[in-house]
Amino acid sequence: VAVVEYQSFFRRRFADAAFASCRDVRLPATGGFAIATMCGRYGAELCTTQRWLDFQGDKNNGLAPLQIDFQLVPDGAEPG
């Protein structure tokens, strides 16, 4: 038996804060935004919290070891 996919539930406020902490980080080698490499086809300009997490959990991105389905839960709501 192996785990090949799972769901992860994040509170919206936590996920937005994590994304905001990365959004303006620049790569010294290029001067470009690091988030551009972490958001797939959307790049830095069109990247959102959900798109960022979707890319991080995409097993086809060459980085994620398995598929992760990130679900953003509104503050005050319960997952599921």
Side-chain angles (χ1 to χ4, degrees):
V1 176
V3 175
V4 295
E5 181 175 352
Y6 72 92
Q7 285 184 310
S8 181
F9 295 87
F10 283 9
R11 293 257 181 243
R12 160 102 20 218
R13 185 177 359 186
F14 174 82
D16 286 342
F19 175 72
S21 74
C22 297
R23 184 154 184 85
D24 295 325
V25 174
R26 290 193 175 264
L27 296 171
T30 65
F33 290 104
I35 202 80
T37 64
M38 299 165 47
C39 208
R41 68 178 185 244
Y42 297 105
E45 289 186 23
L46 298 176
C47 196
T48 64
T49 301
Q50 186 67 62
R51 288 175 174 169
W52 174 60
L53 291 171
D54 288 345
F55 180 76
Q56 299 306 307
D58 183 356
K59 67 180 179 184
N60 297 315
N61 71 12
L63 303 170
L66 52 93
Q67 189 68 33
I68 306 168
D69 179 21
F70 289 100
Q71 298 291 317
L72 297 181
V73 179
D75 296 324
E78 293 299 319

